[in-house]
Amino acid sequence: MGAVSSGIAQEEQAFAVAWRSIDGLRIRYATNGSGVEKVVLFSPWPESIFAFAPVWGGLTKQFEVLAIDLPGFGQSEARDDLFAPQKMGEFIAKAIDAFDLTSVHAVGLDVGAPSVLFAALARPELFRSLIVGAGASTYPLAVEGALKSMIEAETLPPLNAVEVVGRFLGSIRGYAVPRFVRDDYLASYEGDRLTRSAALVRAYPKDLAALAPRLASIKVPVAIVVGRNDPYGLARDAALLRERLPNARLDVLEAGHCVWKSGRPSSSRS
């Protein structure tokens, strides 16, 4: 038990969390590693930069890695005008500029997926490649289940972080969530932060309708990664996205929604 606890403590310390003012907001980030290739990770929802704990050690051995909590997600300061994929894409470009980076491999999973695509449209010179998935990126919307209900609800009732995060973590198979990760998620979305951040997915219909006719103009190479058994119907979204991007590949893993935690290789690639 002591060895496990020691390993988890080292895992947490490896993130070297820090804060920076970007676009007038207090933004949390972590950086580590070295190498010619630069990888920038944007946190999924309802998670934080600690969502990448399972892969952090492996990535930082090979690359210079930067993980950023997007505004209103994780523990970064929120601003209501950024809770929409296109505006969040503009912020992503500003964040990369703030760290004086160019030609990065950007990883936008879940809510980060459409936002990273918008960023690549606006500032293609910033990106060497994109990795996206597990987030709606096509229109008409190809989503199901709780995500569809949340997007289409006339009024969204207050979301309880303890219930939502607990249910979310309970759905992950093959990954024992460390306590420091669970505690960070709960702290990140306490009060009204979870309900407030849901505005980004509720903005999908408008913004993805604007993105759809522009997907073919994204020339940056894109890797799309999705779980075959994603409960939100996003495997179909990923297949549609692959058809509409000119320079993309699709990997379908034997997983649910959280491919960044529990995905296993599959024979499905296109």
Side-chain angles (χ1 to χ4, degrees):
M1 187 68 175
V4 172
S5 298
S6 175
I8 290 173
Q10 291 175 0
E11 193 176 55
E12 181 176 8
Q13 292 169 6
F15 274 84
V17 170
W19 302 82
R20 177 172 295 199
S21 178
I22 303 175
D23 198 26
L25 297 171
R26 189 170 184 259
I27 299 299
R28 187 175 70 166
Y29 71 95
T31 186
N32 208 334
S34 61
V36 175
E37 303 292 337
K38 304 173 180 65
V39 177
V40 183
L41 312 168
F42 297 99
S43 60
W45 179 70
E47 300 169 87
S48 72
I49 53 177
F50 290 153
F52 300 107
V55 297
W56 188 254
L59 287 174
T60 55
K61 286 178 181 177
Q62 301 179 65
F63 309 109
E64 178 183 342
V65 183
L66 169 67
I68 298 174
D69 274 337
L70 292 169
F73 297 89
Q75 294 196 26
S76 288
E77 187 178 3
R79 196 171 70 215
D80 286 340
D81 66 296
L82 295 178
F83 287 131
Q86 185 164 5
K87 285 294 185 181
M88 194 65 82
E90 294 173 7
F91 175 86
I92 285 172
K94 291 177 182 178
I96 294 172
D97 283 339
F99 285 93
D100 295 321
L101 298 175
T102 57
S103 192
V104 305
H105 301 280
V107 180
L109 300 169
D110 191 66
V111 293
S115 300
V116 164
L117 291 170
F118 269 116
L121 274 170
R123 297 284 305 281
E125 75 281 3
L126 294 178
F127 303 97
R128 184 165 182 177
S129 72
L130 310 178
I131 299 176
V132 302
S137 300
T138 63
Y139 188 85
L141 292 178
V143 298
E144 298 172 4
L147 178 59
K148 178 178 174 67
S149 298
M150 183 178 294
I151 292 170
E152 295 180 350
E154 185 174 342
T155 303
L156 188 66
L159 301 175
N160 182 292
V162 174
E163 293 178 2
V164 173
V165 171
R167 187 165 59 248
F168 172 78
L169 294 180
S171 71
I172 300 172
R173 299 289 179 263
Y175 175 58
V177 182
R179 175 59 66 89
F180 82 90
V181 174
R182 180 187 298 269
D183 289 349
D184 187 73
Y185 294 173
L186 291 173
S188 294
Y189 297 102
E190 63 185 359
D192 69 345
R193 278 180 61 90
L194 185 61
T195 307
R196 191 178 177 193
S197 60
L200 192 144
V201 298
R202 287 171 60 77
Y204 278 175
K206 178 177 179 292
D207 278 26
L208 296 186
L211 177 63
R214 304 175 65 192
L215 287 171
S217 65
I218 297 177
K219 307 305 182 186
V220 177
V222 182
I224 308 164
V225 184
V226 68
R228 186 186 306 280
N229 303 310
D230 192 303
Y232 307 119
L234 293 167
R236 184 164 66 94
D237 175 89
L240 292 170
L241 183 62
R242 167 64 186 88
E243 292 175 4
R244 297 172 188 180
L245 289 169
N247 191 10
R249 89 174 194 206
L250 170 63
D251 287 289
V252 181
L253 305 185
E254 293 300 334
H257 181 63
C258 296
V259 291
W260 49 97
K261 287 189 175 72
S262 58
R264 297 189 303 279
S266 164
S267 59
S268 295
R269 172 176 288 189
S270 61

